[in-house]
Amino acid sequence: MAKFKYLKPSTLQEALCFLNGNESDKKVISGGTDIMVQLRNNKIDPEIIIDISEIENLKGIHSRDGFITIGAATTLTEIAESDIVKRYCPILAQAAASVGATQIRNRGTIGGNVCNASPAADTIPALVALGAVATVVSVEQEREVLLEELFVGVGKTAINSNELLTFISIPQPTENSAGSFFKLGKRKAQAISIVNGAVQIGVNAAEGKFTDVHVVMGSVAPTVLRIREAEESLIGRSINRQNIENAAEIVKNKISPISDVRATADYRKDVSGNLFIEAMSDSLEQLGVDVSYPGC
Amino acid sequence: MLIEFKVNAKQYKMDVCPTMRLLDLLREELRLTGTKEGCGEGECGSCTVIMEGKAVNSCLVLAPQICGKEIITVEGLADDRELDLLQQKFMEHSAVECGFCTPGMLMSAKALLMKNPHPTDEEIRTAIAGNLCRCAGYSKIVAAIKDAADA
């Protein structure tokens, strides 16, 4: 492992000051579950490592003013076990619980999963489906970025080198909404997703119509994909199998997966449609709407 | 850099290189070689130790990150030459084949029982899902943990 200087700020202000100078290559670390592997494989070679894991106000989950706010240094275990997350955004709890294994989730953080910007990251599709917003701060300014606009390529985000992701805020879903997270891997634990994704839907059960639909797919493009055409094909329409199957076709056509060691592109396309249908069926079941898919 | 920490209830104050991993600090500096290195990238769980009551991969923790923290390694399980109940149950159930994964398995199991003394089979399997046994002796390992929990 290359030599680097290790800094452990105890406050956000101190961390931002460390990030502000542009004289050398810096990397932010918290749980280190991705960074340590990259350091060891010489994929990154920073001069300074800034450890934000001890900054108290970047940890924890709060529900206030209609938003669930999660500090960037909150661990995946804390998110998976949080009563607030399980109650208001269960798809995020499921996504967090599906990352790596216990040891990884005990150290790995939500901020790290987002900033590492892997196309196969598990929490990202859930966060995008929930309409999450990232708070990004530098010494000079604080800005909010819609999470789906944060990713610019494989491993790349729109966060500048002098900025720090501090919080992720999720608008509290309404009563008549539900969601489903899905992940297909070779095994349950420690698997990099072949395909993952999430749907979050709102319905008017009395009229039998979709009022809101978020469809997000991961591992099928360089960045997470929100499939707006599939969403638009459902919003305001009747809840029935035909409409869901049409939307599944759109999902299959709008993704651009690659063939790699985990699966072929064709397989990823087919399975994406099926996973989408299963997720819609699961979400509707939670809302007490039966579209009866035999075998799902 | 100078750091203070606790390993197996013993307080240490050491000058460490910031690029050192917790795994190397344990094995090379403290000579606690019970903790094993398998993959070195958080996939196999051989290097699992308990940090602040939670199972972690010691290959993914930087030594300076343990400043002010408490670590338990497999050497910390036995008390005055008497084995921990988990270790006894692993022996009774022959839950050890080549033995390389055993320290990591024990520490994942210990972390689980510290938090949840009466886990279900599913919870046991989830707790050790990050520990690979290349001898594939999982059933006996799960049975040993279950037995220790029920005892």
Side-chain angles (χ1 to χ4, degrees):
Chain A
M1 203 142 45
K3 292 279 169 223
F4 50 77
K5 193 171 159 191
Y6 172 88
L7 300 171
K8 183 149 74 177
S10 51
T11 64
L12 175 58
Q13 211 48 44
E14 205 182 338
L16 297 178
C17 288
F18 287 148
L19 281 166
N20 199 38
N22 52 6
E23 68 283 355
S24 53
D25 189 18
K26 310 175 193 84
K27 199 82 192 169
V28 173
I29 194 171
S30 186
T33 53
D34 284 314
I35 299 279
M36 289 294 282
V37 178
Q38 291 165 9
L39 282 169
R40 206 161 157 74
N41 297 338
N42 295 314
K43 289 225 172 90
I44 55 170
D45 182 21
E47 287 170 49
I48 298 176
I49 289 271
I50 302 170
D51 182 359
I52 62 159
S53 65
E54 302 275 310
I55 301 176
E56 275 312 312
N57 56 356
L58 294 187
K59 294 194 263 190
I61 300 155
H62 303 281
S63 170
R64 63 169 89 96
D65 307 327
F67 284 87
I68 318 295
T69 302
I70 306 175
T74 308
T75 67
L76 297 164
T77 295
E78 285 160 347
I79 291 165
E81 293 178 355
S82 157
D83 288 334
I84 295 175
V85 177
K86 282 193 283 192
R87 179 171 170 198
Y88 294 110
C89 17
I91 59 170
L92 179 59
Q94 290 156 22
S98 74
V99 176
T102 304
Q103 295 96 316
I104 298 291
R105 294 190 292 271
N106 282 343
R107 294 284 299 161
T109 62
I110 185 105
N113 202 226
V114 167
C115 291
N116 192 51
S118 162
D122 289 320
T123 65
I124 294 174
L127 288 169
V128 172
L130 289 160
V133 174
T135 304
V136 178
V137 187
S138 70
V139 167
E140 288 111 34
Q141 63 159 354
E142 174 172 323
R143 62 191 179 106
E144 296 202 322
V145 188
L146 207 54
L147 209 74
E148 64 179 287
E149 291 167 5
L150 194 71
F151 305 100
V152 294
V154 176
K156 292 193 176 70
T157 67
I159 300 171
N160 298 318
S161 63
N162 66 335
E163 290 180 315
L164 185 69
L165 169 67
T166 52
F167 295 99
I168 289 168
S169 304
I170 299 162
Q172 197 173 303
T174 56
E175 288 288 316
N176 296 320
S177 69
S180 187
F181 168 80
F182 49 91
K183 168 175 180 168
L184 184 72
K186 289 248 155 125
R187 58 188 285 248
K188 217 168 154 188
Q190 298 286 45
I192 299 176
S193 294
I194 292 169
V195 172
N196 62 3
V199 300
Q200 181 77 25
I201 62 169
V203 298
N204 181 332
E207 289 181 21
K209 287 191 169 148
F210 290 104
T211 54
D212 192 19
V213 181
H214 279 61
V215 180
V216 186
M217 300 294 297
S219 314
V220 290
T223 65
V224 68
L225 279 187
R226 193 168 155 196
I227 319 283
R228 287 181 189 279
E229 294 82 354
E231 296 173 359
E232 283 155 14
S233 79
L234 291 170
I235 296 169
R237 298 279 171 80
S238 297
I239 302 168
N240 61 43
R241 286 172 63 165
Q242 190 56 51
N243 284 340
I244 294 170
E245 276 163 22
N246 288 344
E249 282 307 308
I250 299 173
V251 169
K252 282 159 73 175
N253 291 327
K254 289 291 169 187
I255 59 177
S256 54
I258 55 164
S259 293
D260 64 10
V261 291
R262 295 192 291 283
T264 62
D266 283 345
Y267 175 73
R268 282 190 161 101
K269 279 203 173 196
D270 281 346
V271 83
S272 291
N274 296 345
L275 288 166
F276 166 77
I277 290 173
E278 205 170 280
M280 290 298 287
S281 175
D282 175 43
S283 306
L284 287 166
E285 198 181 310
Q286 292 172 49
L287 294 166
V289 183
D290 182 21
V291 284
S292 54
Y293 267 93
C296 272
Chain B
M1 61 186 294
L2 196 64
I3 59 167
E4 282 185 60
F5 55 93
K6 231 184 222 183
V7 175
N8 301 334
K10 193 173 162 192
Q11 188 75 36
Y12 292 87
K13 194 172 188 175
M14 273 177 70
D15 192 19
V16 298
C17 173
T19 61
M20 182 183 271
R21 302 173 301 171
L22 171 58
L23 172 65
D24 301 319
L25 185 150
L26 294 171
R27 289 183 57 87
E28 310 295 331
E29 304 296 321
L30 306 185
R31 309 304 292 173
L32 294 170
T33 53
T35 303
K36 307 299 181 199
E37 174 161 19
C39 66
E41 47 188 47
E43 296 283 344
C44 77
S46 301
C47 69
T48 303
V49 299
I50 297 176
M51 178 169 167
E52 296 292 287
K54 293 193 172 76
V56 304
N57 295 305
S58 61
C59 72
L60 298 182
V61 178
L62 274 178
Q65 292 190 298
I66 68 162
C67 191
K69 310 276 188 228
E70 182 163 5
I71 312 290
I72 307 171
T73 70
V74 71
E75 290 88 349
L77 288 184
D79 176 25
D80 283 338
R81 308 198 71 78
E82 188 173 327
L83 292 179
D84 185 90
L85 184 61
L86 268 168
Q87 291 170 307
Q88 287 177 33
K89 294 298 177 189
F90 267 58
M91 283 167 59
E92 281 172 28
H93 285 264
S94 301
V96 178
E97 286 185 51
C98 84
F100 197 84
C101 75
T102 311
M105 285 287 182
L106 283 167
M107 299 321 285
S108 285
K110 185 72 185 175
L112 169 69
L113 297 187
M114 282 163 65
K115 185 177 162 190
N116 178 2
H118 302 291
T120 61
D121 280 16
E122 184 66 26
E123 287 168 335
I124 293 172
R125 287 176 186 277
T126 300
I128 60 165
N131 294 77
L132 298 185
C133 169
R134 298 319 311 262
C135 310
Y138 295 105
S139 302
K140 289 178 174 180
I141 293 169
V142 172
I145 298 170
K146 181 91 180 144
D147 200 3
D150 290 340

